Amino acid sequence: MEFHVMTLFPEMIVQGLSTSVLGRAIARGIISLNAVNIRDYTLDKHKRVDDYPYGGGAGMVMSADPVVRCCRSVFEKIEEKKRGEGKEAGRRRVIYLTPQGRTFSQEMAREFAKEEELVFLCGHYEGIDERAVEMVVTDQVSIGDYVLTGGELAVMVVIDAVARLVPGVLNNGDSAEFETFHDHLLEYPQYTRPEVYEGRAVPEVLLSGHHAKIEQWRRQQSIERTRALRPELLERAVKEGLV
Ligand code: ADE
């Protein structure tokens, strides 16, 4: 799967995503990351990418032209690759990270993980000229109800959550399946050695080797935890007949 990120700070994206699990997945060619500097697409002789807002007000607005030109260049690159592979150029998703977007969720991550490539747009300053948003953006996504200085941290959150669902990125094929938010439930508690730590013993059932009993205990723990910590999720699971 290919991730393309249009940003004014490509080094932030590359550094942030090139360690640990995702770094390994990139090195193994399971996913690829293409961080593109929007500033490379401005025609302004001073390389400016922002300007004062029409109507006045605080801050600067990112100009439409560098964003639109950057996006067209990314599309061309994707299309060229598709042609080389003899594939059809399908629908292209361009995701703009903004506090005004739909709140990101595990469901959204699952939906995005079905795409062969995703293009992300990071805003800065007081936002992006609305015409560029209208022209290139297909989805607007927020990572929560708070305001960041730019979309870079947000895009890293989204890419991390999507990439770990791509087959082969995690070592264990199961671990993306049975985890927090599976069936809208939180994950059950986990334990590793030693068997007793500062007087606290690992629950007996986990040492029993009885797989059906362990599964049953874990499911029960997931339900209890969700009831205690996130009752609204449990309500949803019950409504959808998952519990
Ligand atoms: N850009 C600034 N704040 C953001 C947020 N909460 N989510 C996504 N993008 C953002």
Side-chain angles (χ1 to χ4, degrees):
M1 180 168 190
E2 289 178 19
F3 297 98
H4 301 265
V5 182
M6 303 186 284
T7 167
L8 290 173
F9 302 99
E11 65 289 351
M12 189 173 166
I13 306 296
V14 172
Q15 278 174 19
L17 295 176
S18 60
T19 50
S20 184
V21 177
L22 297 202
R24 236 176 299 134
I26 293 169
R28 283 156 61 209
I30 300 166
I31 56 170
S32 72
L33 179 64
N34 172 34
V36 188
N37 196 338
I38 296 170
R39 199 176 296 280
D40 292 343
Y41 295 87
T42 178
L43 298 179
D44 181 83
K45 60 175 185 282
H46 303 295
K47 291 267 175 202
R48 273 184 66 173
V49 288
D50 61 339
D51 214 328
Y52 295 99
Y54 276 117
M60 303 293 272
V61 176
M62 270 171 75
S63 307
D65 192 55
V67 171
V68 171
R69 287 163 42 78
C70 180
C71 192
R72 286 182 181 147
S73 161
V74 169
F75 279 10
E76 271 166 29
K77 188 174 167 174
I78 294 171
E79 265 143 40
E80 198 179 307
K81 182 158 183 275
K82 292 261 156 181
R83 267 197 304 275
E85 294 169 347
K87 283 188 188 160
E88 281 286 303
R91 184 181 67 126
R92 210 114 291 151
R93 256 184 138 143
V94 180
I95 302 162
Y96 174 34
L97 284 306
T98 163
Q100 291 162 34
R102 246 189 334 145
T103 308
F104 188 57
S105 64
Q106 191 64 28
E107 268 166 297
M108 239 190 255
R110 278 189 211 112
E111 191 194 318
F112 290 160
K114 291 178 192 154
E115 305 285 337
E116 283 182 27
E117 61 274 321
L118 291 172
V119 181
F120 294 94
L121 173 60
C122 299
H124 248 267
Y125 313 116
E126 293 305 310
I128 298 178
D129 188 310
E130 192 62 24
R131 291 164 297 185
V133 176
E134 289 166 7
M135 286 165 74
V136 305
V137 170
T138 59
D139 300 81
Q140 302 198 32
V141 171
S142 163
I143 61 160
D145 288 342
Y146 40 81
V147 182
L148 303 167
T149 54
E152 283 75 15
L153 285 171
V155 85
M156 287 194 260
V157 168
V158 173
I159 291 178
D160 190 286
V162 173
R164 63 188 290 289
L165 300 178
V166 174
V169 169
L170 298 182
N171 290 327
N172 171 2
D174 286 345
S175 56
E177 183 92 7
F178 297 101
E179 61 181 7
T180 294
F181 301 124
H182 182 74
D183 284 354
H184 305 308
L185 297 177
L186 303 183
E187 203 182 17
Y188 47 78
Q190 297 274 23
Y191 300 87
T192 187
R193 289 191 297 176
E195 215 178 291
V196 181
Y197 177 69
E198 296 204 354
R200 294 162 186 261
V202 170
E204 200 63 47
V205 63
L206 299 178
L207 311 173
S208 69
H210 193 302
H211 292 295
K213 269 193 186 152
I214 292 171
E215 281 310 302
Q216 195 186 6
W217 181 84
R218 286 179 164 167
R219 180 81 179 169
Q220 201 52 41
Q221 288 288 316
S222 279
I223 293 169
E224 289 313 321
R225 252 190 187 192
T226 313
R227 193 193 315 282
L229 300 173
R230 299 288 305 275
E232 80 287 3
L233 284 182
L234 185 63
E235 215 170 280
R236 197 167 157 202
V238 170
K239 231 179 246 162
E240 292 181 24
L242 300 169
V243 169

